[in-house]
Amino acid sequence: MGKGGGCVPSKNRPPKGVSDQDLRNPESDGLVSDQNQTQTTQTNPIDHAIAQRQLRVFIVFYSMYGHVEVLARRIKKGVDSIDGVEGFLYRVPETLSSEVLEQMKVPKKDGNADEVPVILVERLVEADGLLFGFPTRYGSMAAQMKAFFDSTGHLWREQRLAGVPAGFFVSTGTQGGGQETTAWTAITQLAHHGMLYVPIGYTFGAGMFEMDSLRGGSPYGAGVLSGDGTRKPSETELALAEHQGKYMAGIVKRFAQPSFRAPGLGLD
């Protein structure tokens, strides 16, 4: 009996009312502590599906004389170079009659083996990212692209495109013909749909400061100077377009992380 009275429990025997199992030592009994145990987590089927499938970037454009299409194809090359992401080319419907196009000496686009299909508005919701390309008309997008955006009202009502990353690439006749304003004035289309505008900024590096030759493109997106229609895109312009494809693909991968959002269904 101790000085203070009462019995002192033996170190080898549990106190009264406490069983041996209650005092089991996880280390001495060969058990692994909680912090080292592998925890089983449940996988969300939607997250698993997103992780398994290829992410899709739709490159939707209008090109009358081919300058924007050349950029679009180079952008697709950039998208396809990023693992897990694939680019798809689509045209928007033409609004001018064949007679008018013939008078304007616009090259015919039907019948080519590598012809780009015309996109249906409803298919936009299938994309994980969108890049829209168009020539300028007085500093804003061409009427054909505007008509396409005007036909997306049913998607806007349900905000089916909310949260989808999107960007622009353009073509202008001259350096001061709208390389920035053509993209800048198009941002309103994305804002009303709730899409997330993704400019390229100065991520192209030294190429953005190239001054030795004429170059289209801006922090808003890739661009080409078409001149009177006979000028072809320079290697710098094409490299910038390819960079935009890579950059958008990287953004799409980041936004497609599990539990972030279900593609085409807005933010969840």
Side-chain angles (χ1 to χ4, degrees), residues 1-199:
M1 182 175 291
K3 246 181 176 182
C7 296
V8 179
S10 169
K11 293 183 179 179
N12 297 322
R13 296 177 57 190
K16 186 177 181 181
V18 179
S19 67
D20 289 335
Q21 190 167 1
D22 292 334
L23 294 180
R24 293 176 69 182
N25 187 329
E27 296 181 0
S28 62
D29 291 341
L31 300 178
V32 181
S33 62
D34 291 341
Q35 63 182 1
N36 292 325
Q37 287 183 351
T38 303
Q39 297 183 354
T40 303
T41 57
Q42 293 184 346
T43 303
N44 187 321
I46 294 180
D47 293 343
H48 180 71
I50 294 174
Q52 293 297 313
R53 70 173 177 80
Q54 283 279 97
L55 297 171
R56 295 167 293 219
V57 174
F58 284 8
I59 304 161
V60 183
F61 66 92
Y62 175 74
S63 185
M64 180 171 281
Y65 294 103
H67 295 83
V68 175
E69 181 173 348
V70 171
L71 291 186
R73 291 184 181 277
R74 195 60 175 261
I75 286 174
K76 173 176 166 53
K77 180 180 178 182
V79 172
D80 292 343
S81 70
I82 302 302
D83 185 51
V85 188
E86 185 175 1
F88 294 86
L89 295 172
Y90 293 103
R91 295 181 186 277
V92 299
E94 179 60 78
T95 60
L96 297 176
S97 67
S98 57
E99 292 77 15
V100 171
L101 293 174
E102 185 176 353
Q103 292 178 11
M104 297 175 67
K105 298 182 174 17
V106 176
K108 291 185 179 181
K109 300 178 177 63
D110 297 331
N112 295 333
D114 60 347
E115 178 57 25
V116 176
V118 174
I119 191 171
L120 298 176
V121 171
E122 291 74 16
R123 296 210 62 187
L124 291 177
V125 300
E126 301 173 12
D128 299 284
L130 292 161
L131 284 170
F132 298 99
F134 37 81
T136 189
R137 297 294 184 267
Y138 305 111
S140 60
M141 67 174 64
Q144 289 85 347
M145 182 60 74
K146 183 60 168 62
F148 177 76
F149 273 111
D150 287 347
S151 68
T152 61
H154 57 295
L155 301 182
W156 164 76
R157 282 193 298 272
E158 299 179 6
Q159 290 292 282
R160 296 291 305 282
L161 299 176
V164 178
F168 304 117
F169 56 101
V170 304
S171 171
T172 68
T174 63
Q175 287 178 294
Q179 283 288 314
E180 291 192 345
T181 61
T182 305
W184 178 59
T185 54
I187 295 175
T188 58
Q189 311 297 318
L190 307 187
H192 284 263
H193 276 285
M195 288 187 275
L196 307 178
Y197 176 47
V198 181

Side-chain angles (χ1 to χ4, degrees), residues 128 163-165 196 198 250-258 260-261:
D128 299 284
V164 178
L196 307 178
V198 181
I251 293 294
V252 165
K253 287 188 71 172
R254 185 182 305 175
F255 274 62
Q257 293 300 315
F260 184 79
R261 71 174 182 85

Side-chain angles (χ1 to χ4, degrees), residues 187-240:
I187 295 175
T188 58
Q189 311 297 318
L190 307 187
H192 284 263
H193 276 285
M195 288 187 275
L196 307 178
Y197 176 47
V198 181
I200 59 175
Y202 284 84
T203 58
F204 190 49
M208 291 297 289
F209 301 93
E210 178 62 51
M211 299 289 289
D212 295 336
S213 61
L214 291 174
R215 175 188 64 79
S218 72
Y220 292 91
V224 60
L225 301 176
S226 61
D228 62 359
T230 60
R231 181 183 182 273
K232 296 182 179 179
S234 68
E235 282 304 314
T236 302
E237 290 170 331
L238 293 175
L240 179 56

